[in-house]
């Protein structure tokens, strides 16, 4: 399934180092693109907060500062827990139609959300997990949330769609908490 590119960023380069390849996700406030880091030759996720691009300049400045602070907090948390998606860079970009929008570079993750895992397992009619298996699956995310709470940070959107499963959902796996 190919997602639309309402910002017309596919094929462009951001900050002379991120070549945007395709749209991979869309939420209420942001679009997520897969991009290639030109120097490291590694994929990254480029999250563009498009909702801020439509605001008047006087209102945008405060929200952009909040966005940068969020990136700073995410970078701090992800350095302390492998179960939090790593923030790697932050900046602003200009769209082809000349709107300025903030973006965040996140580590690229291969896998699927817990929401997708649950749906696939339902379709395949797999046996439910035992309590021990559920704890093993969710414990890293719970520890990441505990770390955030000790720092006074609330996630505010914990749900299966924001827990990313890397590896075999019923075997060797790790999880990442998304969307702080």
């Amino acid at each position: 399934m190919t997602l639309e590119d309402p910002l017309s960023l596919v094929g462009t380069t951001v900050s002379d180092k991120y070549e945007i390849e395709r749209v991979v996700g869309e939420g209420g406030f942001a679009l997520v693109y897969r991009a290639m880091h030109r120097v490291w030759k590694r994929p990254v996720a480029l999250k563009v907060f498009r909702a801020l691009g439509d605001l008047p300049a006087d209102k945008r400045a405060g929200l952009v500062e909040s966005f940068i602070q969020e990136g700073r907090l995410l970078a701090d948390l992800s350095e302390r827990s492998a179960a939090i998606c790593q923030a790697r860079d932050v900046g602003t970009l200009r769209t082809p139609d000349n709107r300025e929008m903030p973006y965040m570079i996140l580590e690229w993750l291969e896998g699927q959300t817990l929401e997708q895992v649950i749906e696939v397992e339902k379709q395949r009619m797999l046996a439910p997990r035992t309590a021990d298996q559920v704890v093993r699956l969710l414990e890293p995310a719970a520890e990441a949330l505990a770390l955030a709470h000790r720092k006074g940070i609330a996630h505010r959107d914990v749900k299966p769609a924001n827990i990313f499963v890397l590896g075999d959902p019923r075997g060797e796996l790790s999880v990442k908490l998304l969307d702080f």
Side-chain angles (χ1 to χ4, degrees):
M1 177 176 113
T2 303
L3 297 174
E4 294 289 319
D5 181 17
L7 301 178
S8 301
L9 293 175
V10 172
T12 66
T13 301
V14 173
S15 296
D16 294 326
K17 58 184 167 183
Y18 305 112
E19 294 178 356
I20 300 179
E21 299 177 343
R22 67 181 186 271
V23 178
V24 295
E26 184 174 6
F29 300 105
L31 280 170
V32 179
Y33 293 85
R34 178 187 158 108
M36 187 62 66
H37 191 293
R38 294 175 74 182
V39 176
W40 294 341
K41 306 292 187 225
R42 294 181 51 93
V44 296
L46 185 142
K47 187 173 186 177
V48 180
F49 289 83
R50 64 181 178 178
L52 298 183
D54 296 328
L55 294 174
D58 62 325
K59 295 193 187 282
R60 190 172 352 130
L63 290 174
V64 167
E65 182 54 39
S66 295
F67 167 73
I68 290 169
Q69 175 66 18
E70 176 187 339
R72 189 177 301 121
L73 290 171
L74 183 57
D76 180 55
L77 289 174
S78 66
E79 286 176 357
R80 299 178 193 303
S81 173
I84 296 175
C85 183
Q86 292 180 0
R88 297 195 170 152
D89 197 1
V90 66
T92 57
L93 60 81
R94 194 161 295 282
T95 63
D97 65 357
N98 212 30
R99 290 184 290 166
E100 189 175 28
M101 295 185 186
Y103 70 86
M104 186 180 302
I105 299 295
L106 304 164
E107 70 179 302
W108 179 256
L109 302 174
E110 290 287 342
Q112 53 192 333
T113 66
L114 182 55
E115 180 178 60
Q116 293 166 325
V117 168
I118 291 168
E119 189 56 39
V120 166
E121 290 181 355
K122 281 183 188 176
Q123 290 172 0
R124 292 183 180 165
M125 296 188 283
L126 296 178
R129 286 179 173 77
T130 65
D132 285 343
Q133 290 170 326
V134 170
V135 168
R136 189 173 146 278
L137 176 68
L138 295 177
E139 188 172 31
E143 289 174 359
L145 285 170
L147 169 67
H149 292 170
R150 284 192 301 273
K151 295 212 155 258
I153 301 165
H155 187 287
R156 297 188 300 202
D157 197 20
V158 179
K159 60 186 178 186
N162 285 336
I163 298 174
F164 203 84
V165 179
L166 298 98
D168 179 357
R170 296 243 175 186
E172 287 299 313
L173 63 85
S174 59
V175 298
K176 295 275 187 171
L177 196 54
L178 308 177
D179 278 349
F180 264 87

